[in-house]
Amino acid sequence: MIMEPQVRTLVDIADTPAALAGQADIVLERARWAAEVFRRFDHTLTMSIVDAVAKAAHETAGRYADWAVEETGFGVAAHKKIKNELTAHPLVDFYRDQDFVNPRVDEARKMVEIPRPAGVILALAPSTNPIATINYKILIGLMTRNAIVISPHPAARECSVDAAQLLSKAAQEAGAPDGVVQIIEHPTIPLVEEFMRSEKTSVTLATGGSAMVRSAYSSSNPAIGVGPGNAPAFVDDTADIDKAATRIIESKSFDNSALCTNESVLIALESIDKRLCQALRQNGAYICDADDVDRLRRYLFHERGFNVETIGRDAVWIAKECGIRVPENVKVLIAPITQIGVEEPLSREKLCPVLAYHVVRSRSQAISQARAVLRIAGAGHSAAIHTTDESAAMAFAGAVEAYRVVVNAPCTQGAAGFSTALAPTFTVGTGYFGRSSIGENIGPQHLVHWTRLAYNSSPDEAFGSYHGVSVNLAGPLPTAPADGVPGSTVPAVRASFNASSAESLADTSREELRKMIAEELRSILRN
Amino acid sequence: MSEAKLDFLDRSRAFWNPGKTQDWQDMGIDLVIDRREGYYLYDMDGHRLIDLHLNGGTYNLGHRNPELVQALKAGSERFDMGNHHFPALARTALAEALAACAPSPDMRYTAYGSGGGEAIDIALKTARHATQKRKIVSIIKAYHGHTGLAVKTGDDRFSKLFLSEDTEGEFAQVPFNDLNAMEDALRGRDVAAVIMETIPATYGFPMPMEGYLPGVKQLCERYDALYIADEVQTGLMRCGEMWGCTKYGIEPDIMVTGKGIGGGIYPIACVLISERCGGWLKEDGFGHISTGGGAELGCIVAMKVLEMVQRPEVRTMVKYVSDYMRAGLEQIMAAYPDFFAGIRQHGVVMGLEFNHEQGAKPVMKHLYDNGVWAIFSTLDPRVLQFKPGLLMTQADCEEVLRRVEIGVGLARDEVMGSSRHSYRKSA
Ligand SMILES: Cc1ncc(COP(=O)(O)O)c(C=O)c1O
């Protein structure tokens, strides 16, 4: 009998600091190499890579939506598919007219601004929106010619690894440098911390649990982290109550509230309380009685905090789990609460279709209660108001500590930029209120800095003529010969990247892409 | 130079090797390596050098690579050198790991030496046993080490000195890249094996012409000789694949790996032997004995080395390093076309050719002054061996190119201008 050789580990050092650092280092150095080559790419080639990756993400949106739901148990596959699609072509199109590659010439100020990619982006992805976050972070990284290393959430590891590898392949097939997209296949906290702390990481884009975000900020490296959400939504007496109710239910049931932009506490003026409850019911809400609320409270909040089992579960499932009888078509559980603050756990963030409901006597009380909601959690994140009175909107938005206040729209989608003009994002900057470095929706503009050539402003000194003058965009590195290996001895093709042929290629595929995007948007709107 | 170094060099002359110590001083290289880390060496006076010599790939993964140091430390909690007579856990585990990545599927056995030369001797003895023939064919200016048999395959400078050259007509040498000469040497069917460095290193990495190595392999098959691949410098990803011979389509009968396999931290060398050549291992397993060969701590380190070089990231890194260096060197070559005459390259195995019979020596010297350590080719001093590590960072590669540009410029002025120094003396 012939035995097959086995590769065994006699002395296992995998968990030692040296091994963890070594593992992180080699992935990050590969990324640094990729970034170094990528920054030589021109706009056309860069965008053709971005479009190819968006296409791959779009085509697999449904498959990964199903996989993510199956692996994590969170959310609604149909909604995840929409999110995955939105973070493909529409995301790219949102930024299509912005150029993060070519220098900008500002004649008036006698300045030239040259884009300088961050380098290597370490992108953490949460379990709640694994694929959409991966799509989004990879695409904004590629638009700005950065290398990206994804750190998936362990609970969504398998679908995340598969998806990131697929996008990596798509990028490479479209001409991206090898290693421009990588994923940490077996993430553990000490390993990810090694990545965050390495000098080779330019910036960590942290979306996920607070512990990870804080850890990113204490890593000594630049970080863009976001705090948790806990959005208060205020329904004013001037609101169109029916529309408000429809939007709130649509929002709260979207992907079973797995997005951090979902409404957490609904605040209603006394005068419209009855009408609003009625309208909510008509849209699929179940209004809990005091006993139900008690059960929900005990079930959703343990001593250790929020019951993660319930993240992204549907309303009927949750009701069953805590012994509340509800009709099968209920989409959202409304839990009336009389207090907001430390004494009421239900005023905390709930990543499930349970909406706390609090009635106030006046607008000013609504504002102080909304501020209280964000004091518990969610500072700097999102809030919503339903009103037709601009002064109410201004008073509310100027007072609550949130950097986006969505008006007459579903907060889940609106704050993330999918039913408002906010930038589409899966990283919602929580700014200084939320102990974060950025207060707007994170986009590609945050992954590139600009070198500014600034001329003497004296009128004696003329500004130069920079049109047509460019930085080195030589494209991919030529392959070095492997002397003596057939087909490789000939001095490698030294001809630099042929820009004109790539351009025409990109033009045709762009036309196709536009058609596809239009089609896809239509289908999303129909749903 | 510090007092301390002067004093040390006197001691080195007095107690270690007067000739070698002095030769380096004569060449203007006053290097005494002290601290070392990653791809950096620090002279005892503090001068930092980026190491592009790497002792021929010994420091492929860098000096004192933390993972290898960790493996050695952890290994020493359980193992020592081991007893070379007995079946041993680490030795068999490494043999299996090697069989799993061998260049030919029928390579099963591994025999161990403590260094490359010893492993070469084992390979040659194995071939002689398997074929029951004595004659060995090697390449003129090949370098396979300085042990008893290995030294006879190489340049007679090293064998005659010790009255150890072949006197029985058992070792024949033929020119590289000459298939006719090879066929002439094999035609008599009295040859046990041809031993080939996949790319002759000490000869300055002349590259095999297309079809040369496969042609040699065919001739071996035709004339019943074995093909021994010396992968001491070309293996372990240096050519972009695990073994350089694979890139040329060769499945050797016997293969030797050394240097880098011990990670620069524990000396070990290995001979991979195909089933059909391993007869002596059954006939008399005690036939070759070496106390230090295959020391188990070395095996632990070597297994880590194998695991590390097979990481997918390494493949990409080697490609980046070789493409990037090539692009940069071509620019430098374009700046000094009358002096910097050519680049020989396969992956991170590179030789830089200069237009002067000793040209690599002033380049070496000026690179040394500019913080880069790369050594000339002993057997062809026109060529500088240029051997970046597998894991070189982009920043370090850029540093190297910046310094090489300066160093080559200075060397060119010295050689092509009014040359004041003479580099005719060889090491
Ligand atoms: C190709 C080759 N084979 C064999 C050897 C001998 O190895 P060692 O010095 O470990 O005996 C060397 C050493 O330089 C070498 O370069």
Side-chain angles (χ1 to χ4, degrees):
Chain A
M1 188 200 70
I2 296 196
M3 268 182 127
E4 287 304 312
Q6 262 177 24
V7 179
R8 283 166 287 147
T9 306
L10 280 185
V11 174
D12 188 4
I13 61 161
D15 294 334
T16 61
L20 295 170
Q23 258 187 63
D25 190 71
I26 194 169
V27 170
L28 290 169
E29 188 56 39
R30 182 194 199 188
R32 289 222 79 85
W33 271 110
E36 174 62 22
V37 176
F38 201 11
R39 73 180 180 85
R40 303 158 29 122
F41 282 30
D42 64 16
H43 187 253
T44 309
L45 183 52
T46 303
M47 288 313 289
S48 68
I49 293 164
V50 167
D51 285 329
V53 171
K55 181 165 179 281
H58 176 84
E59 283 166 356
T60 52
R63 177 153 72 88
Y64 288 122
D66 294 342
W67 190 343
V69 170
E70 193 180 312
E71 186 176 349
T72 62
F74 305 156
V76 181
H79 295 165
K80 288 213 185 295
K81 177 165 187 261
I82 294 173
K83 289 195 290 187
N84 297 352
E85 285 171 350
L86 286 168
T87 47
H89 298 308
L91 174 76
V92 176
D93 285 337
F94 186 89
Y95 292 106
R96 186 163 310 271
D97 296 335
Q98 292 183 43
D99 183 340
F100 299 106
V101 175
N102 288 304
R104 308 192 283 226
V105 180
D106 183 340
E107 304 277 351
R109 293 188 302 155
K110 295 205 290 188
M111 282 194 357
V112 183
E113 300 177 323
I114 305 168
R116 310 304 295 270
V120 174
I121 294 161
L122 176 64
L124 311 192
S127 59
T128 44
N129 305 294
I131 306 302
T133 304
I134 286 173
N135 289 349
Y136 148 80
K137 289 189 176 177
I138 288 177
L139 284 168
I140 63 172
L142 293 175
M143 284 177 212
T144 43
R145 297 178 299 166
N146 285 295
I148 306 105
V149 177
I150 302 281
S151 173
H153 192 283
R157 193 187 73 84
E158 285 172 25
C159 61
S160 301
V161 169
D162 204 83
Q165 284 174 345
L166 177 115
L167 299 187
S168 170
K169 193 158 160 272
Q172 226 172 300
E173 281 168 5
D178 187 355
V180 97
V181 175
Q182 297 180 84
I183 182 155
I184 307 171
E185 287 190 41
H186 299 282
T188 59
I189 288 174
L191 180 62
V192 176
E193 282 175 348
E194 229 24 273
F195 275 88
M196 293 196 297
R197 145 166 81 229
S198 167
E199 304 181 344
K200 294 179 182 176
T201 295
S202 307
V203 59
T204 299
L205 264 188
T207 315
S210 288
M212 266 318 196
V213 172
R214 287 341 305 168
S215 180
Y217 273 115
S218 22
S219 68
S220 83
N221 271 328
I224 300 177
V226 300
N230 193 29
F234 172 41
V235 183
D236 178 50
D237 55 0
T238 65
D240 179 326
I241 302 296
D242 288 330
K243 281 188 180 162
T246 311
R247 287 165 185 155
I248 290 162
I249 300 300
E250 180 193 338
S251 173
K252 204 45 206 175
S253 60
F254 184 75
D255 205 18
N256 291 332
S257 287
L259 267 92
C260 54
T261 43
N262 79 85
E263 290 88 345
S264 181
V265 179
L266 185 57
I267 298 170
L269 274 181
E270 214 172 20
S271 53
I272 50 121
D273 168 25
K274 293 260 151 46
R275 272 167 57 212
L276 180 58
C277 284
Q278 183 58 28
L280 287 168
R281 261 192 218 102
Q282 272 163 11
N283 280 281
Y286 170 82
I287 315 265
C288 299
D289 65 18
D291 177 52
D292 298 337
V293 172
D294 221 33
R295 285 165 184 269
L296 266 179
R297 188 183 291 119
R298 265 184 282 124
Y299 176 66
L300 290 183
F301 293 93
H302 297 154
E303 234 152 63
R304 280 164 287 114
F306 185 64
N307 177 2
V308 293
E309 265 299 294
T310 68
I311 296 177
R313 300 285 187 175
D314 64 59
V316 174
W317 187 91
I318 291 171
K320 271 206 188 94
E321 286 291 302
C322 47
I324 305 173
R325 293 180 47 149
V326 300
E328 284 298 317
N329 59 358
V330 159
K331 292 191 212 154
V332 174
L333 304 176
I334 305 265
I337 55 173
T338 53
Q339 284 183 312
I340 282 171
V342 285
E343 46 290 269
E344 177 52 271
L346 286 168
S347 54
R348 295 196 228 147
E349 187 185 26
K350 298 166 288 298
L351 291 169
C352 63
V354 174
L355 181 60
Y357 181 69
H358 181 73
V359 177
V360 291
R361 289 167 190 239
S362 63
R363 281 180 180 174
S364 69
Q365 197 176 40
I367 288 173
S368 81
Q369 293 296 55
R371 282 179 58 87
V373 168
L374 291 172
R375 244 190 321 274
I376 301 165
H381 212 289
S382 311
I385 182 167
H386 299 265
T387 185
T388 52
D389 178 350
E390 296 78 12
S391 62
M394 282 296 268
F396 184 77
V400 293
E401 294 199 336
Y403 291 111
R404 46 200 74 61
V405 176
V406 167
V407 183
N408 296 335
C411 193
T412 300
Q413 295 93 325
F418 297 111
S419 58
T420 59
L422 289 172
T425 194
F426 274 83
T427 303
V428 175
T430 52
Y432 300 135
F433 291 144
R435 299 172 75 201
S436 172
S437 51
I438 290 176
E440 57 183 349
N441 287 2
I442 309 302
Q445 72 275 22
H446 299 115
L447 303 179
V448 59
H449 288 163
W450 300 78
T451 296
R452 295 181 166 87
L453 268 95
Y455 268 64
N456 188 334
S457 50
S458 153
D460 305 347
E461 190 60 45
F463 185 50
S465 164
Y466 281 91
H467 293 283
V469 181
S470 193
V471 286
N472 171 22
L473 296 175
L477 274 177
T479 296
D483 291 335
V485 173
S488 145
T489 309
V490 241
V493 195
R494 298 277 128 191
S496 67
F497 176 73
N498 187 335
S500 63
S501 70
E503 198 125 28
S504 59
L505 202 142
D507 275 351
T508 49
S509 60
R510 186 172 301 165
E511 200 36 52
E512 279 168 27
L513 282 170
R514 281 203 197 293
K515 275 191 211 131
M516 281 174 38
I517 293 160
E519 180 54 41
E520 159 207 323
L521 281 174
R522 270 195 295 277
S523 76
I524 287 170
L525 291 175
R526 266 200 302 272
N527 287 342
Chain B
M1 204 185 314
S2 66
E3 279 297 318
K5 196 196 260 187
L6 283 171
D7 179 59
F8 168 77
L9 289 172
D10 284 341
R11 290 172 180 284
S12 178
R13 273 181 284 254
F15 294 106
W16 176 62
N17 186 328
K20 211 173 194 172
T21 305
Q22 191 53 44
D23 280 351
W24 285 117
Q25 310 317 308
D26 295 345
M27 281 186 279
I29 309 287
D30 58 0
L31 174 62
V32 178
I33 299 167
D34 187 354
R35 237 160 23 89
R36 52 214 88 178
E37 187 171 24
Y39 293 110
Y40 299 147
L41 297 173
Y42 296 85
D43 172 67
M44 68 179 280
D45 283 349
H47 179 49
R48 189 195 78 173
L49 292 153
I50 304 177
D51 189 1
L52 290 193
H53 172 194
L54 302 179
N55 293 22
T58 305
Y59 303 107
N60 246 340
L61 298 172
H63 291 272
R64 295 172 48 252
N65 181 296
E67 286 184 78
L68 297 177
V69 171
Q70 182 65 41
L72 180 63
K73 279 188 187 159
S76 68
E77 299 289 319
R78 178 172 168 198
F79 294 100
D80 51 18
M81 283 170 62
N83 185 318
H84 56 298
H85 289 308
F86 287 91
L89 294 172
R91 222 167 311 163
T92 299
L94 174 58
E96 286 189 66
L98 283 166
C101 64
S104 146
D106 39 68
M107 280 186 159
R108 297 192 65 74
Y109 304 109
T110 296
Y112 293 105
S114 50
E118 184 187 350
I120 295 287
D121 279 15
I122 298 171
L124 297 177
K125 292 200 295 183
T126 300
R128 283 178 164 180
H129 178 272
T131 58
Q132 293 296 309
K133 297 191 272 193
R134 287 178 193 277
K135 201 162 166 188
I136 304 293
V137 174
S138 59
I139 295 301
I140 295 172
K141 306 236 185 239
Y143 187 100
H144 300 287
H146 285 178
T147 45
L149 298 178
V151 77
K152 293 191 164 72
T153 64
D155 200 68
D156 64 12
R157 168 180 162 195
F158 302 116
S159 51
K160 280 196 166 141
L161 176 69
F162 298 107
L163 293 77
S164 297
E165 69 276 26
D166 169 44
T167 49
E168 312 289 322
E170 290 174 351
F171 290 81
Q173 298 191 349
V174 298
F176 189 54
N177 274 336
D178 183 343
L179 282 173
N180 290 330
M182 183 61 81
E183 179 151 22
D184 289 344
L186 296 179
R187 208 185 303 276
R189 295 187 183 274
D190 57 346
V191 172
V194 173
I195 180 162
M196 291 292 282
E197 283 176 87
T198 303
I199 302 167
T202 313
Y203 194 9
F205 301 122
M207 291 292 160
M209 289 177 335
E210 267 188 45
Y212 175 66
L213 293 175
V216 172
K217 180 74 171 68
Q218 272 170 14
L219 291 172
C220 286
E221 284 162 17
R222 184 173 316 152
Y223 297 112
D224 308 320
L226 298 174
Y227 185 107
I228 303 175
D230 179 342
E231 284 280 332
V232 168
Q233 291 222 24
T234 43
L236 302 172
M237 293 304 291
R238 294 199 58 76
C239 295
E241 287 288 342
M242 193 62 185
W243 309 111
C245 57
T246 310
K247 291 286 288 283
Y248 296 99
I250 305 291
E251 288 192 3
D253 301 296
I254 298 172
M255 185 189 85
V256 176
T257 178
K259 293 197 191 268
I261 190 77
I265 205 112
Y266 201 108
I268 184 168
C270 314
V271 189
L272 276 70
I273 303 170
S274 60
E275 181 70 48
R276 81 181 170 103
C277 298
W280 71 267
L281 294 160
K282 297 176 193 160
E283 187 182 322
D284 182 357
F286 286 83
H288 177 85
I289 290 178
S290 168
T291 307
E296 287 193 274
L297 280 175
C299 294
I300 298 293
V301 172
M303 282 194 283
K304 194 74 206 158
V305 167
L306 287 182
E307 183 269 314
M308 288 177 74
V309 299
Q310 291 182 86
R311 291 178 188 169
E313 292 86 3
V314 172
R315 186 175 295 270
T316 316
M317 297 271 289
V318 170
K319 177 151 168 50
Y320 276 129
V321 174
S322 43
D323 291 351
Y324 185 84
M325 287 294 200
R326 178 65 176 221
L329 288 170
E330 280 185 1
Q331 274 176 15
I332 299 171
M333 194 158 63
Y336 304 106
D338 54 346
F339 179 55
F340 186 174
I343 302 169
R344 304 164 172 185
Q345 179 175 15
H346 190 159
V348 288
V349 172
M350 301 172 82
L352 315 188
E353 277 172 69
F354 297 95
N355 216 346
H356 181 276
E357 60 175 279
Q358 300 277 324
K361 290 186 182 176
V363 176
M364 171 181 77
K365 160 86 176 81
H366 286 287
L367 291 188
Y368 176 69
D369 291 341
N370 280 282
V372 172
W373 175 233
I375 196 168
F376 71 97
S377 304
T378 312
L379 301 177
D380 186 356
R382 289 184 317 123
V383 180
L384 186 78
Q385 298 188 24
F386 194 85
K387 303 186 269 201
L390 300 183
L391 307 181
M392 278 283 265
T393 63
Q394 189 275 325
D396 278 347
C397 287
E398 193 174 328
E399 269 300 301
V400 165
L401 289 171
R402 178 177 75 82
R403 291 159 188 271
V404 167
E405 184 344 9
I406 295 167
V408 168
L410 291 170
R412 187 221 158 264
D413 290 351
E414 190 175 313
V415 173
M416 314 292 282
S418 57
S419 171
R420 274 159 296 155
H421 296 83
S422 164
Y423 290 92
R424 303 217 166 220
K425 187 176 183 313
S426 61

